[in-house]
Amino acid sequence: MTKDSKHSDDVSLRQKYGSRLRFAREALGISQEALAEKAGLHRTYIGQVERGERNISIDNLERLADAVGEQLWEMLRP
Amino acid sequence: MTKDSKHSDDVSLRQKYGSRLRFAREALGISQEALAEKAGLHRTYIGQVERGERNISIDNLERLADAVGEQLWEMLRP
């Protein structure tokens, strides 16, 4: 069972949001670069957020949710 | 109609979260100081977050939601 598939409680909110962001981006069929451009953020930042490595701010949480056409509260929903 | 009662779309997510946090804290009957201690944050920071003045990070969004016994996704729900 890979780390990602172990979606139990101890997966941090950063990781949950990151994997939801990746899922939404891939469902749109766009690259990290295209998402970064759409959201006005840097490509490497997108990769770090998707891997749960960034303590991302509420403004950027919202910006990225908007960029993939999702509601932030739904992306954070268990 | 006061600014707060005008809960239309143009209220930023920072302000929505801030007012939900204040509502939850007051429902618990605790002061900003007590909430700050519970969450391991500074009292003035709590006031700023409640007023929507801080670009708060996902870790602190979660810490404060936990401290008032709420789910973050519910606090961000329209």
Side-chain angles (χ1 to χ4, degrees), chain A residues 1-58:
Chain A
M1 191 169 51
T2 64
K3 195 178 64 52
D4 285 339
S5 70
K6 183 179 78 58
H7 256 292
S8 65
D9 274 354
D10 64 358
V11 172
S12 76
L13 207 54
R14 292 188 190 192
Q15 289 165 317
K16 272 182 199 162
Y17 177 83
S19 45
R20 287 283 175 83
L21 183 66
R22 170 171 292 156
F23 183 81
R25 176 176 62 76
E26 289 174 347
L28 292 170
I30 61 174
S31 65
Q32 287 180 346
E33 201 148 11
L35 175 56
E37 202 175 314
K38 214 174 168 197
L41 297 166
H42 200 274
R43 183 185 61 73
T44 48
Y45 180 78
I46 304 294
Q48 291 166 338
V49 170
E50 287 188 352
R51 291 188 299 273
E53 293 166 2
R54 296 295 296 227
N55 189 14
I56 179 171
S57 71
I58 192 167

Side-chain angles (χ1 to χ4, degrees), chain A residues 14 55-59 72-73, chain B residues 14 55-59 78:
Chain A
R14 292 188 190 192
N55 189 14
I56 179 171
S57 71
I58 192 167
D59 289 358
L72 177 55
W73 70 275
Chain B
R14 292 188 190 192
N55 188 15
I56 179 171
S57 72
I58 191 167
D59 288 358

Side-chain angles (χ1 to χ4, degrees), chain B residues 29-54:
Chain B
I30 61 174
S31 65
Q32 287 180 346
E33 200 147 10
L35 175 57
E37 202 172 314
K38 213 173 168 195
L41 296 165
H42 198 276
R43 185 185 62 72
T44 49
Y45 181 78
I46 304 295
Q48 292 165 339
V49 170
E50 288 188 353
R51 292 188 299 273
E53 293 167 3
R54 295 296 296 228

